[in-house]
Amino acid sequence: MKIKSAEFVISNSEVAKCPKNNLPEYAFIGRSNVGKSSLINMLTDRKSLAKTSGRPGKTQLINHFVINDSWYLVDLPGYGYARVSKTSKKKFQKFITNYFEQRKQLVSAFVLVDIRHKPQPIDLEFMQYLGESGIPFGIVFTKADKLKPLAIERHVNDYCEELLKTWEELPLYFVTSSSKHIGKEELLEFIANTNEEIEQLRAE
C-alpha cells in the first residue's frame, strides 16, 4: 500500500464524537514512550503527522487521521507511566476502554511493545483485556534498530513463550524500527489486505 494522503480529522475524548462514517479503523496504542508517534509518522511518510515528544504521555485524546480517504489510523493515549495526574489518567484510561468496547468501525488494534525489554506485566495485562473483550489485535515490536538480529529473535521468542502460557495461539506480530523503516511494508500490507476483505464482504 502506498500512502498518498494522510490528514488529521479530529481529536476528542468521547467515542460519540468520533467520525460517523463506516471507514475501517486501526488503533495504535502502547505504553508511554514506546515510540508510537514515530511509528505513525514512519508508516504515513509524514515527519510530524503525530506529535513526538520527549515527555511521555503527551497524547491524551482519541486522534483520528484519514489515510488515502479510505481508512482511519487512530492514535490512542499511552497506558502506564504517563506524567499526568491520577485524576487525568483515570479519565483517559476510561475513554480508552470506551473506545475499544463501543467503536464498531474498529477492525484491529496494534499494541506497541519496546522490543528491548522483557515482557512487561502492563503490556500483557492490556493484551489480556483485549482478548477477553474479543477485540482483534496485533503486536508491534518497536525500536528493533537498537538490537542485533539474534537479540531481536530472542526477545520476540521470550514474548511468545510468555503469551503461550495463557493464550492458545499467538496474535500476529510485526517487528519494526521507525528510524530504519523496518516492518513498514508488512504492516501496511496487512492493513491493505484486511481492507480488501472488508470491501468484499460488504459487496456480497
Side-chain angles (χ1 to χ4, degrees):
M1 178 198 299
K2 182 172 178 58
I3 304 296
K4 298 177 181 177
S5 63
E7 298 177 7
F8 170 75
V9 178
I10 191 171
S11 291
N12 67 84
S13 61
E14 297 179 37
V15 179
K17 294 181 180 179
C18 290
K20 304 299 183 189
N21 57 39
N22 287 321
L23 294 183
E25 294 185 0
Y26 298 84
F28 289 74
I29 190 169
R31 197 155 35 90
S32 299
N33 210 26
V34 75
K36 177 164 54 68
S37 296
S38 296
L39 179 82
I40 289 171
N41 291 335
M42 181 266 283
L43 289 176
T44 58
D45 282 326
R46 304 297 190 273
K47 291 183 177 180
S48 57
L49 188 71
K51 303 298 186 208
T52 57
S53 172
R55 180 169 61 85
K58 190 172 183 181
T59 304
Q60 294 183 31
L61 295 169
I62 303 168
N63 300 295
H64 275 75
F65 302 91
V66 64
I67 310 299
N68 291 350
D69 295 321
S70 61
W71 58 278
Y72 287 115
L73 186 157
V74 184
D75 181 9
L76 293 174
Y79 51 80
Y81 312 124
R83 292 181 184 175
V84 294
S85 69
K86 289 183 179 180
T87 302
S88 176
K89 183 179 292 188
K90 185 176 180 180
K91 181 181 178 182
F92 74 68
Q93 297 294 358
K94 179 61 178 173
F95 71 70
I96 289 174
T97 57
N98 285 345
Y99 172 82
F100 281 116
E101 293 168 12
Q102 298 174 23
R103 191 66 174 159
K104 291 181 170 53
Q105 292 89 334
L106 176 66
V107 174
S108 178
F110 291 110
V111 181
L112 277 59
V113 173
D114 190 331
I115 199 169
R116 297 175 298 175
H117 306 309
K118 291 184 178 296
Q120 301 293 305
I122 192 169
D123 294 322
L124 296 171
E125 288 169 9
F126 193 76
M127 292 178 205
Q128 192 70 27
Y129 157 72
L130 292 176
E132 290 174 353
S133 302
I135 298 162
F137 74 94
I139 302 172
V140 178
F141 292 101
T142 63
K143 306 186 182 183
D145 58 292
K146 306 295 184 183
L147 297 176
K148 296 188 181 301
L150 283 177
I152 290 172
E153 184 178 352
R154 186 171 66 251
H155 285 211
V156 169
N157 287 339
D158 286 346
Y159 231 98
C160 292
E161 288 177 9
E162 189 64 35
L163 285 169
L164 286 173
K165 291 178 182 178
T166 53
W167 292 75
E168 290 186 4
E169 60 181 272
L170 294 169
L172 285 174
Y173 66 82
F174 305 85
V175 175
T176 71
S177 163
S178 298
S179 61
K180 303 293 185 182
H181 284 219
I182 296 169
K184 176 180 179 178
E185 290 185 10
E186 290 83 357
L187 254 173
L188 291 178
E189 182 180 10
F190 168 78
I191 293 172
N193 290 340
T194 305
N195 285 342
E196 284 183 15
E197 291 173 8
I198 292 170
E199 287 182 16
Q200 289 172 1
L201 287 171
R202 288 177 177 174
E204 291 177 358

